[in-house]
Amino acid sequence: SLPVFTNDNTPWSEINSLNAGWYIKNEYDEIKKTLHKISNLTKEELIEKSKNAYELAQKYSWEILFAKYKKMYDEV
């Protein structure tokens, strides 16, 4: 349930579209601006991002990934 703060050198752009954290350009000004936004979040905004981060993380649970890989290998 921890919102993610990462940059566009990672493959997780869906973080922004799902409001599960911050996916930003790897530039000093962007990092500075985003850290300022984070420090000014309301409790409600943080709770919302935390819920969304938890839901996003569930897509990558072992049970779900195992089922996808098993299906892929079965098809091969």
Side-chain angles (χ1 to χ4, degrees):
S1 297
L2 183 62
V4 177
F5 176 67
T6 191
N7 63 50
D8 57 2
N9 291 322
T10 65
W12 305 304
S13 61
E14 66 187 327
I15 289 169
N16 276 349
S17 62
L18 298 175
N19 192 28
W22 301 266
Y23 183 82
I24 64 168
K25 293 179 183 175
N26 191 21
E27 298 172 357
Y28 174 79
D29 288 336
E30 189 72 19
I31 294 168
K32 183 179 172 183
K33 181 175 73 173
T34 304
L35 287 173
H36 181 72
K37 285 181 188 178
I38 291 170
S39 69
N40 289 309
L41 283 178
T42 66
K43 184 177 181 178
E44 292 77 20
E45 290 170 323
L46 181 58
I47 289 170
E48 181 68 24
K49 281 194 181 286
S50 294
K51 287 178 184 177
N52 294 339
Y54 179 80
E55 289 176 19
L56 175 58
Q58 296 311 299
K59 288 176 50 176
Y60 300 98
S61 72
W62 176 244
E63 293 82 13
I64 290 174
L65 290 178
F66 176 77
K68 288 180 180 179
Y69 282 122
K70 182 176 182 328
K71 180 181 177 189
M72 180 182 70
Y73 285 118
D74 287 346
E75 290 173 358
V76 172

